[in-house]
Amino acid sequence: MARVFSGVQPTGEAHIGNYLGAFRHWRPDPEHMYCIVDLHAITVEHDPEALERDTRFMAGLLVALGLHEGSILFAQSDVPAHVEMMWLLTSVATVGELERMTQFKAKARALGRRAGIPAGLLMYPVLMAADILLYRTDEVPVGEDQKQHVELARDLAERFNRRYGETFVLPKPAISPVAARIKSLSDPTRKMSKSDADPDSKILVTDPPDVIRRKVMAAVTDSGREVYPSPEKPGITNLLEIMSGFTGRPVEALVAEYRDGGYGRFKRAVAEAVVEGLRPLQAELARVLADPGAIERILAEGARRASERAEPVLRLARERMGFPAVRRLAAGALP
Ligand code: AQP
């Protein structure tokens, strides 16, 4: 059985890119771990109250998807092994490879030189490698944007094993062939992103039907009227991917049906596919969020089970690097 690990940052409300690219591929299974990676959310300036609220929201969303039944669902900051493992892994990571990460370059550029680039933004992929390697993960189901980070985790694991002895399993990314990179509705050359300041660039999983319809009808497209995927039609291509993701119908079948009917008819159909696709999840989410105490209990139990799995792997990595467990046990006995 493949061991699976994946995570989501509580950096705002989830959008349909997160849903189509990641969540809908996550399965309740005893070998699957799903994590609200809240420590990643402080790599850019954040509001503590919003972090707490968004962490509970993301956990609620994963509960609404049924992932707590069978899988281990937990918050990263509840399992301190992640941070310690990250520090051990910094010994095999180089500043050069971290600076080459596409997401670091994009976010650093957006912050600009004057604001200063938080050191955590550079270190983010090392923490992500720790998240993955701690659970002896085989597969990491992610959207296309996270592929490079999973490949780095694999490189660091390989380097660590070579330098200190066999310790980590080498993980690989699992990327869906459809809707792996949903684009912004207002600029279809960029990916849809939680942190985009323009609310019309993204459809949130909580958006009511009228808001979804308005956003899809306002989505940027070219001036033609024929519906087919093409690099010259990034807006239409994106809407085809979204509709295919929600209906399960291949893009070719959608093109056969909508090619000559004009953009208006096609957009109305896309909007209805999104509204109907999200309806059951929205109903379940409202029910789950009404009981925050239950979410807290699920996270506490998840953290306990995740720690049980993480500790032996962390202990092995520590020992391989020259930090013997026996000394730690003795220190624990000190007053
Ligand atoms: N546009 C996207 N299309 C497909 N998949 C996507 N994912 C993110 N955006 C898209 C996938 O969703 C999962 C959770 O993402 P994350 O919370 O780790 O953050 P991210 O990848 O940095 O995504 P965002 O939404 O753009 O967040 P911010 O704005 O905070 O950086 C991942 O599997 C991701 O690949």
Side-chain angles (χ1 to χ4, degrees):
M1 280 292 254
R3 286 200 157 191
V4 166
F5 175 97
S6 203
V8 57
Q9 297 186 70
T11 40
E13 282 198 37
H15 50 72
I16 58 169
N18 301 131
Y19 177 74
L20 294 177
F23 305 157
R24 74 183 172 130
H25 305 290
W26 297 1
R27 299 271 171 270
D29 183 300
E31 293 302 320
H32 292 200
M33 324 251 327
Y34 297 111
C35 185
I36 316 300
V37 286
D38 50 357
L39 293 169
H40 285 283
I42 62 167
T43 51
V44 288
E45 204 176 323
H46 81 290
D47 167 9
E49 266 177 40
L51 176 60
E52 207 176 322
R53 187 192 60 227
D54 292 342
T55 300
R56 200 172 314 109
F57 170 84
M58 280 300 177
L61 185 58
L62 301 192
V63 171
L65 286 162
L67 294 170
H68 61 304
E69 290 167 346
S71 312
I72 298 180
L73 174 59
F74 68 106
Q76 185 187 30
S77 63
D78 290 334
V79 182
H82 288 244
V83 177
E84 187 172 351
M85 182 63 96
M86 171 196 165
W87 181 247
L88 302 186
L89 290 173
T90 57
S91 71
V92 288
T94 69
V95 171
E97 68 192 338
L98 297 178
E99 282 178 341
R100 281 195 295 277
M101 293 290 114
T102 309
Q103 194 177 76
F104 170 75
K105 287 194 284 192
K107 290 199 172 174
R109 202 179 312 121
L111 283 172
R113 287 203 177 278
R114 267 192 317 129
I117 299 163
L121 198 58
L122 184 68
M123 298 302 293
Y124 173 115
V126 187
L127 179 58
M128 181 163 160
D131 302 337
I132 295 167
L133 301 181
L134 261 182
Y135 301 103
R136 308 184 68 75
T137 304
D138 300 297
E139 277 176 25
V140 188
V142 283
E144 182 76 38
D145 65 318
Q146 292 292 342
K147 182 168 175 253
Q148 197 183 32
H149 291 161
V150 181
E151 285 167 351
L152 180 76
R154 187 184 176 89
D155 289 348
L156 298 186
E158 217 165 14
R159 223 174 282 159
F160 189 104
N161 288 352
R162 213 176 323 117
R163 199 174 292 175
Y164 301 112
E166 206 57 30
T167 308
F168 297 122
V169 169
L170 306 188
K172 57 176 193 307
I175 297 180
S176 139
V178 177
R181 194 180 188 83
I182 296 299
K183 306 292 185 353
S184 152
L185 297 184
S186 22
D187 176 359
T189 60
R190 295 206 325 239
K191 84 166 188 127
M192 188 176 285
S193 186
K194 283 190 233 89
S195 52
D196 196 320
D198 174 8
D200 289 344
S201 68
K202 54 199 165 188
I203 297 176
L204 303 179
V205 296
T206 49
D207 275 343
D210 55 328
V211 173
I212 294 174
R213 290 186 186 108
R214 185 183 56 70
K215 286 181 179 177
V216 174
M217 295 315 287
V220 168
T221 46
D222 59 282
S223 55
R225 66 180 310 278
E226 256 188 283
V227 174
Y228 62 91
S230 147
E232 284 86 59
K233 290 173 168 283
I236 289 295
T237 306
N238 191 36
L239 293 176
L240 280 165
E241 287 257 317
I242 291 173
M243 186 163 179
S244 171
F246 276 107
T247 59
R249 295 177 65 195
V251 166
E252 303 76 60
L254 300 176
V255 172
E257 182 170 350
Y258 294 100
R259 186 170 188 124
D260 300 320
Y263 287 175
R265 173 172 171 259
F266 172 58
K267 281 179 159 181
R268 279 192 293 280
V270 174
E272 289 322 304
V274 179
V275 168
E276 290 313 315
L278 290 178
R279 199 186 290 284
L281 175 61
Q282 291 185 342
E284 185 58 12
L285 181 60
R287 199 187 63 72
V288 170
L289 291 178
D291 187 356
I295 298 174
E296 295 298 331
R297 285 193 294 280
I298 288 168
L299 288 181
E301 173 60 9
R304 189 189 62 73
R305 293 173 62 204
S307 296
E308 270 174 18
R309 291 194 177 193
E311 280 306 323
V313 182
L314 176 62
R315 199 178 317 126
L316 178 62
R318 287 174 52 97
E319 281 180 357
R320 293 272 197 246
M321 292 187 76
F323 305 109
V326 61
R327 224 167 51 211
R328 186 178 240 206
L329 291 175
L334 295 174

